[in-house]
Each structure stands twice: as C-alpha cells, then as structure tokens.
Amino acid sequence: MILNNFVRVLKGENTSEMASEILEGIITEDINNKTILLKPNVGFMGEPRKGLSTHPEVIRGLIKYFKSKNAAKIYVGDSSVIGINTVEALKSAGITKVCEEEGAICIDLNDSPPIDMKITDGYVVDSILLSSIIYDVDIVVSVGVMKTHMHTGASLSIKNMKGAMYRREKNKLHRLTKRPPAGRTERSLDFGILDLTTVCYPDYAVIDGTVGMEGFGPSGGTPKPIGLLLASKSAVACDMIALKLMGMELSDVGHVKLVAERDNIDYENIEVKPSDYMKYFDKFQTPKEARLELGCDALVYKDESACSACHATLTQFLRYHSDKFKDEKEPYYIFAGKDIDPEEIKKYGDRAFLLGACTAKFKKLAPFCKGCPPVTSELLKLIKKMTGVTVNRVGEKSLNIATKDYRILVDPDDYDLFKKLEPSHILIQEQSEKIIECAKRLQLKFNAELFCLKTVEDKLAGARLNPMEYGEKFRAEFGYIEVFGRDNLPDYLLEIEGINVYQLVNKNIEIERSVIEKTDILIAKLEDIEQFEKLFSIFKSHAKFIVPIADCETFEKINKNFGDKSSDIEIKLLNTGENFSYSKDQAKVVSNASYEGGIL
C-alpha cells in the first residue's frame, strides 16, 4: 500500500455509516486528545442534499469517527462567499443541527482572527490572509463536494480550502494581474490555488460524492446523486481519482494538475481501494458541455477569441445579473479575449468595457475588469459604476469611508446611528470613552475588524482587536493600514481600491514625504484656518482632494479664502450627512448607497 497516495472509495446508501468508516486505514496517527477541524464546502445558502454543500450526514459520520478516537475537540466550519452569512449557510445546509446533536463546535472561520501568510517564490501572489484556526488545530480535514466549477473545471478537496481565506480575501485570486509562467496553459487562478497550497493544505481529504453537482457548478448546476465517498491522506491523489470517476481530464482542472506535477504524483503511483473502483464511473456534464438559453439585449459580448474562463464569467454574469439591465435603452459592449480591434472599442465609447487579463493592453481605451478569470461581481461593479471610495461625514467628527464591499468607520460615537451601516472595519483616533464604548459594541455586534493603538487595548477588553504601534503597516482585507502620529493620536493611511486615504488628526506632526506624495484623499480634523493653510500648501501638488473636518466658522473662512484659488487639489467641504465619491478607474462614480445602503 502506498500510504500517502492511497485513496479509499466507498459506495452505499447509509451516508453517516459510510462517513464514519471512510477514514479507517487512511488515518494511522494517534488522534487521542487532538483538536480537529472539519472544513466542509458551505460557500452558498441552500437546502442540504442538493450537491450545493457538503451532506450533513457525511459530517455526522466524520464527527462520530473522531469521537471514537478520543479527539479533544472537533470543530466544523467554513467561510462562505462574499455576501453570504456563513452562520446562516451552515444552518441551511443542516450542518449546525448535526454539530449540536453530536457535540461538535460549529464555527464561522471568519470568527478567528486573520493571519497573513507569506508565500515564498509564489507564482502569482506573495501573501494570503487566512483564518488562524487552520493553524491552531492539530488536524485539518477538507470535506469538499464532488462538483464541477465554471472557472476551475472542478471543485474538490484542494479547491475547497480556498474557503479558509479570510472574508473578502477570497476575491484576491480572481483579481490577479500577474500572468502565468510563459508556455503554461493553466490560468492565473490555477497558479493562485497552487500558491495557496503552500500555506494551506489539508492533512486529510474526504470528497462527498453522495450527491454531487454537474453542469454550471459550483452553485448553479444540477444535483447528481451517485452515493460515493472518497478519502486520502493526499488531497491531490483524492482529487485525481474523483476526476477519473467524473469522466474529466486532469488537463481540464489546472490547479489539480499543477499540484500533482509539483508533488510528482501521477495515476501510476496512486493506489485505490477497491482496485476496480471505475465500476462507480458516472460521467459529469461539464460547464462547457452544459447549454443554457441565455440572452439579454442590453449586453452584447465581443468574445470570439476569449478562453473558456472568460466565457464562464460571461455566462454567470448573464445568469445572475441580466435582470439589472432590463431597463437599459442602449446596450453595453463587453470585450474579452486576445484578438480585439481597438478601433471597435473606440466605436462604442463609454458603452464599452474590457474583461479579463488578455484585454489589459487596451485599458486606456475603456474601463477594465482584471482577473484570470475575472469575477462576475467585479464586472457588475465596473459597469454599474460602483467602484471607488465614498467619503461620508457622519456626525461632528465621525467618518464612514465606504466601498461597495466595505464600511470603514472612523471614531463612531453613536451606536444606534452607526449600526445601520453594518461596519466591516472600525478605526479609533480620538480615544474618548464614548467612542471606545461605541466601537466596542459595534465590533461585537458585526464582528468588524477593530484597529487602535496598543495604549487603549485594555479599555477594549472583550472585543477582538488589531492593536497597532506608530510606524506599523498592517495588512487588511481592503488593502493596507499604516499608522503615524504621537501623543496617543494616531493618523492612518489607508489603501482602499488602489486609493490612498490619509486621515490626519495631529496638528503638529511632521508628515513624511512618501506619505504626501502617494496621498489621493486627505481628511484632516482641524481647529482653525491656519492649520488648513499649512496642509493645503503641503498637499496641493499631490493629493486629489482635501476634506477638512471643522466647525462652520472655519468652513466659511476656507470657502472665502480658497474658493476661487486655482489648484490641482479639490476642496470638499462636507457637512454632516454629506459625501463624495472618487475612483481612479472611472470619471463618474455612483455611490454604493444606491446599491447597498452604504452611507448615512
């Protein structure tokens, strides 16, 4: 028996019993007093036993197996796709109930703080934010579903671990600008998953084929009941045997092929029990083979030279977003692929959009949606002008810096008001008791990321924090946070959507030249007109906007003294409740409030 490349296959009707048996002969280490994480596939909300998520009885059987081996704790958890509440998804999949009945701990992986894992010599990424529980437990078991996937060919045990990426970090692998190595046919996403496996790879793999999904997986396909379970110590070996049973070529699932090549695994050195496992063969319809009658007069695709990945994105876009364009009087033209005529792009003016890495060379001609493959939600943001940053003044000195995906609150001081925004991140500058108490309540309510100086850490006991020191640069989901300042008054430089927002509260601090030069939006809390004059002279040749936060008297003086001055920097005098938006990609930006209720 080639133990590391040994794959076990079971077929039957009693799912729980099969699952409690499948790891026998696979796991040989002592489980006694060890902590276990079962990582199911629960990316979407939906009924159990439909191939959308891991079968709850598979989870029950695995819990029973590890309980019989005297495991100390058994966690079951996932982090769903953006826009899906993981806790609710686990409930709808029937997994929460199974955990309650069997004494396992059901968790949202996002409840564990993130850890920034550096990737040495990565092909397309240098680091990835992951849920820290992956490293806190002794054993991780990937419990994926046997399903097709429109972007990766198939989603099995390796791809399932992408769910361990922290919150919106998952989109990172769909926004890659770095191209694959020359001569390779795999996509950037495939190499991104390969990079992911260097820092996040399961100890054991179980693939749930009790009810799989074919066609337009991973969420829009057709359930396929085949009654199978597979398991192995080698996730890539397990995935390879699953592909054979599905009738799919290894070359069609790039990330599995890449991992197999790296680990020097081929079908010749995988041992399978039973040896005649191909008697369970059941051909899966691939996304390419599936045919849907889709159409929308407002969306015209110019994609003759596009690869299957961009075709998949466009098909998904039609399925999930065509209704948002039903009232358009003129069509939008979406270009994808290598062989594009730039004159044709110019012909359609502001109705033209570019999709995918192959069109990057034309991005000066039309708005560009990056990625290989690109993700549908990013294309929607681009066409509907939901990119960029909205700066929203809320209250006297509090701010909401919003994008379509994030709500970043600065010094929130009214819980009932700010809870309407459902913040994703909170920053504390002024350390009043009112702000600290409000920030703490919001963090606990919405599981928001909370950033503050280490000096106020004790005042926020019970909340999950990211305490920082002056000079520190912190990786966040939306980009980066750097902290400057002195005397317990931090200034923050945020990089959001490629836009640098500098929030200044220190009136006497010497601002670093590098900060001045890269600032796009300066937000400054002021006490008098003299402070504004100084900042205006410093930033006028660099920043796009300056947003003073001051009283009415100072506003009047600024308007009087600077209203007619010609400068590259635009002054935004925001009263309470007012906002403005800016995007580097598009001249016109529609505030995300129109779509997500993102501002007050």
Side-chain angles (χ1 to χ4, degrees), residues 378-531:
E378 293 300 303
L379 179 58
L380 179 66
K381 283 167 61 176
L382 195 68
I383 296 176
K384 286 294 188 179
K385 295 181 170 56
M386 294 186 287
T387 63
V389 168
T390 297
V391 178
N392 176 206
R393 184 174 178 181
V394 186
E396 185 179 351
K397 292 187 176 182
S398 303
L399 292 166
N400 167 32
I401 301 172
T403 71
K404 181 179 181 295
D405 295 327
Y406 304 105
R407 312 282 182 270
I408 306 167
L409 307 186
V410 184
D411 286 348
D413 57 5
D414 184 334
Y415 176 78
D416 290 331
L417 177 64
F418 280 94
K419 71 179 182 181
K420 298 174 185 177
L421 292 170
E422 300 186 9
S424 61
H425 298 77
I426 303 167
L427 279 65
I428 295 178
Q429 279 186 308
E430 300 189 25
Q431 300 165 18
S432 70
E433 290 186 10
K434 188 176 182 181
I435 289 171
I436 287 172
E437 180 60 28
C438 179
K440 181 176 178 179
R441 290 182 67 190
L442 289 169
Q443 192 284 317
L444 294 171
K445 170 70 174 176
F446 298 103
N447 193 27
E449 292 290 310
L450 176 55
F451 296 87
C452 63
L453 286 179
K454 286 188 176 179
T455 52
V456 294
E457 196 172 355
D458 292 344
K459 296 180 182 179
L460 289 157
R464 184 159 62 80
L465 310 176
N466 294 290
M468 302 179 70
E469 294 181 342
Y470 291 127
E472 187 174 359
K473 186 174 182 177
F474 194 94
R475 172 89 191 293
E477 288 174 89
F478 55 74
Y480 289 93
I481 299 177
E482 289 185 77
V483 60
F484 308 91
R486 64 184 184 187
D487 302 329
N488 293 331
L489 281 175
D491 297 334
Y492 294 108
L493 178 65
L494 310 182
E495 181 190 313
I496 317 165
E497 296 259 1
I499 298 168
N500 289 295
V501 181
Y502 188 42
Q503 298 173 108
L504 182 71
V505 69
N506 282 274
K507 57 183 179 180
N508 297 317
I509 187 174
E510 289 295 325
I511 304 169
E512 295 181 15
R513 185 70 184 174
S514 61
V515 173
I516 296 170
E517 290 177 348
K518 64 185 176 184
T519 295
D520 296 303
I521 301 173
L522 171 66
I523 303 172
K525 295 183 179 180
L526 305 174
E527 293 180 0
D528 51 50
I529 186 68
E530 287 77 17
Q531 289 177 36

Side-chain angles (χ1 to χ4, degrees), residues 224-285:
K224 188 174 181 69
I226 50 176
L228 288 180
L229 286 181
L230 293 79
S232 179
K233 184 174 175 59
S234 167
V236 66
C238 205
D239 285 7
M240 290 169 70
I241 297 305
L243 290 177
K244 284 197 75 173
L245 289 166
M246 297 165 74
M248 297 182 67
E249 296 293 332
L250 182 59
S251 58
D252 291 334
V253 186
H255 68 278
V256 178
K257 179 185 175 186
L258 291 170
V259 176
E261 288 178 358
R262 182 196 64 194
D263 295 349
N264 197 29
I265 295 176
D266 57 38
Y267 284 110
E268 297 302 316
N269 59 23
I270 299 175
E271 181 177 346
V272 186
K273 180 181 179 181
S275 59
D276 60 347
Y277 68 97
M278 286 302 289
K279 64 188 178 185
Y280 302 137
F281 173 84
D282 197 335
K283 176 74 172 68
F284 275 57
Q285 183 188 48

Side-chain angles (χ1 to χ4, degrees), residues 128-139:
I128 291 177
L129 279 179
L130 291 161
S131 170
S132 57
I133 195 171
I134 297 293
Y135 306 98
D136 294 337
V137 298
D138 297 309
I139 293 174

Side-chain angles (χ1 to χ4, degrees), residues 197-217:
T197 65
T198 65
V199 292
C200 180
Y201 198 69
D203 299 294
Y204 299 95
V206 174
I207 296 176
D208 173 15
T210 55
V211 181
M213 179 177 284
E214 63 181 348
F216 287 99

